Amino acid sequence: MAKKKHPLNGITADNGNISADSDSEMYKARGFCATLAGDKTQCVRSEYVEDLGHFVSKANVAWVDFIVDDFRKESLRVAIKFGFSEFLVKNLLKNSRSGYEDLNNEMGLFLPAIHVEGFEVTLRPMLILLRKNMILTLHTSETTRFFRVRRYAATLLKKLPLGMPQNDKMTMLLIRIIDESNAKNFEYLQVIEEQGDQLSKELSDVKTSRDVIGNKIYLMKHALIVYLSGLWATVDALSSLRYGDADLITDDAKIIDRISGLVGEVHAQIGLAEHLSEVLASGLEVLQSIYNNQLQILNNRLALLVAYLTIIGTALLVPNTIATVAGNAMFNFTGKDIAWYLGLIAASTVVATLFSWWAVKKLGLLPSKPDEN
């Protein structure tokens, strides 16, 4: 599809759907804007807020996705340039994980963007701002969840019926954006599950260091806790949106039910995450029991070895004592005494060994052989 250079700072604009060859460029673009004016759609990308704002001002419906480096500092500046109030953005940024703010002619959501890498789960901030004809999403470059929507943004806008009320259009577009964010959050549960499976494999190996296992068990539990906290924060924000009765949101019950559907999907994912937590907990308990049993087997072996060494040591004490006494100068032994002397030593060793064995078993000091099963 033909592209043209727009006079504003040389941005690239595409009419209709994004072509395959421009997809990588759109993917990397700092700023992206999809607009609907009448029945015509347009997608543009630019590094400059002013360029994208030029297209938004002429559109009936517009979605702008903009990447910032320093979220807390740059998001306020970018939002103001797009026409949102400082009061709205600052109130949203006061929240630590999620938030909702409605100022009648503009509103905003502060949502967590979950990211999982190994056992490390982070909740990255994301703003979704809405006014009459525009939705603005702000996030850092690490939050890459809207690049897929960028590719199909024009098609998404075309599906909005021409005769549909403006509030209905904006609500449906908002729902689609939130749904994409939720879907990305949900994908990370599988990553956590894979890490849990790897941890179970390491636990089953008795050679694995206890210090390493203990730390990984903590990291696994912590990862699930942070992940669940992100989902609950999402539920709080979406519930506020559902029941906030904002002027910019539709009153159509069918569309509103879709927001309830989003909340229901997050609740379902919370249930799955909690179930995974229970499965991991029970599995870890079983593996820990196996590990403890293996340690008990080792302890039994060591106790058996100590008992054997005790018997041997006690048995050897008798002939050693005889030999010590017989070595005294007061006993004048000759070569003729070697035979009976060695016989005495051998007989005392056997008798002392048998007696020690009997005594240890009689007193119950000899542990049973460890059961390998």
Side-chain angles (χ1 to χ4, degrees):
M1 187 168 293
K3 293 187 283 187
K4 59 183 179 179
K5 291 291 182 179
H6 194 275
L8 294 177
N9 293 322
I11 67 173
T12 301
D14 296 285
N15 296 319
N17 283 320
I18 302 171
S19 58
D21 60 346
S22 66
D23 182 52
S24 61
E25 295 178 352
M26 291 291 181
Y27 183 89
K28 299 176 182 178
R30 178 181 176 87
F32 172 86
C33 177
T35 62
L36 174 66
D39 60 347
K40 295 181 179 181
T41 60
Q42 189 174 33
C43 296
V44 296
R45 63 179 179 85
S46 176
E47 299 293 316
Y48 306 98
V49 175
E50 294 79 8
D51 295 346
L52 301 180
H54 169 78
F55 288 93
V56 171
S57 62
K58 298 180 179 181
N60 302 120
V61 177
W63 169 51
V64 176
D65 183 40
F66 204 87
I67 298 173
V68 295
D69 297 322
D70 189 324
F71 185 81
R72 295 286 174 178
K73 294 181 180 179
E74 291 187 42
S75 57
L76 176 60
R77 177 180 58 81
V78 173
I80 292 175
K81 285 188 176 182
F82 276 112
F84 291 94
S85 67
E86 180 179 354
F87 180 78
L88 171 68
V89 180
K90 282 189 174 180
N91 278 358
L92 289 171
L93 293 178
K94 289 178 181 178
N95 300 281
S96 59
R97 291 183 177 174
S98 69
Y100 167 81
E101 194 73 28
D102 175 28
L103 301 180
N104 297 325
N105 62 337
E106 60 179 359
M107 59 171 290
L109 289 169
F110 183 90
L111 294 175
I114 301 174
H115 180 77
V116 178
E117 186 173 352
F119 286 115
E120 186 177 356
V121 180
T122 53
L123 303 182
R124 293 168 177 164
M126 179 178 64
L127 279 179
I128 302 178
L129 306 178
L130 173 69
R131 65 169 186 254
K132 186 176 181 180
N133 72 322
M134 175 190 179
I135 294 178
L136 171 64
T137 53
L138 292 169
H139 53 85
T140 59
S141 58
E142 293 86 359
T143 306
T144 58
R145 57 197 53 211
F146 294 127
F147 291 142
R148 182 170 56 182
V149 184
R150 286 186 179 192
R151 182 174 183 180
Y152 301 105
T155 302
L156 178 62
L157 293 179
K158 281 183 178 180
K159 289 183 178 181
L160 298 176
L162 292 176
M164 177 180 285
Q166 182 68 13
N167 283 11
D168 293 3
K169 291 180 181 179
M170 299 305 296
T171 304
M172 290 184 65
L173 180 58
L174 176 63
I175 290 173
R176 179 65 186 89
I177 292 171
I178 295 175
D179 181 60
E180 183 69 18
S181 177
N182 287 347
K184 190 66 176 179
N185 288 342
F186 299 162
E187 290 177 5
Y188 285 119
L189 182 61
Q190 183 178 358
V191 178
I192 297 176
E193 185 177 6
E194 291 173 353
Q195 294 297 321
D197 182 65
Q198 180 63 30
L199 175 59
S200 299
K201 181 179 179 180
E202 293 179 6
L203 268 175
S204 62
D205 185 0
V206 293
K207 296 180 180 179
T208 305
S209 171
R210 177 179 293 184
D211 294 337
V212 173
I213 289 297
N215 183 56
K216 287 190 175 182
I217 290 175
Y218 163 75
L219 292 176
M220 185 68 198
K221 292 182 177 180
H222 181 70
L224 278 171
I225 290 173
V226 176
Y227 180 79
L228 283 169
S229 68
L231 293 183
W232 280 116
T234 302
V235 168
D236 290 341
L238 294 183
S239 296
S240 299
L241 175 66
R242 167 66 179 85
Y243 300 104
D245 195 25
D247 293 339
L248 294 173
I249 298 299
T250 181
D251 293 326
D252 190 314
K254 292 183 179 180
I255 300 179
I256 290 295
D257 285 341
R258 294 187 183 183
I259 300 179
S260 300
L262 293 177
V263 177
E265 289 177 356
V266 180
H267 274 296
Q269 193 71 10
I270 289 174
L272 290 174
E274 291 178 341
H275 177 67
L276 174 60
S277 178
E278 294 173 358
V279 169
L280 287 174
S282 60
L284 291 176
E285 289 176 0
V286 172
L287 291 172
Q288 188 65 34
S289 298
I290 295 174
Y291 188 70
N292 290 338
N293 184 55
Q294 292 169 339
L295 288 178
Q296 186 61 45
I297 291 173
L298 179 61
N299 289 336
N300 288 343
R301 286 176 175 173
L302 291 175
L304 186 62
L305 177 61
V306 170
Y308 286 147
L309 292 176
T310 301
I311 293 172
I312 294 172
T314 304
L316 294 178
L317 183 63
V318 175
N320 181 67
T321 302
I322 293 175
T324 301
V325 173
N328 193 285
M330 62 180 294
F331 296 101
N332 188 17
F333 290 111
T334 65
K336 298 179 180 180
D337 301 312
I338 293 178
W340 70 263
Y341 180 73
L342 292 178
L344 177 62
I345 295 297
S348 63
T349 301
V350 172
V351 172
T353 301
L354 294 176
F355 179 78
S356 299
W357 179 275
W358 174 84
V360 170
K361 292 200 68 174
K362 187 70 175 178
L363 296 176
L365 300 178
L366 185 64
S368 59
K369 292 184 178 181
D371 186 5
E372 299 294 341
N373 298 324

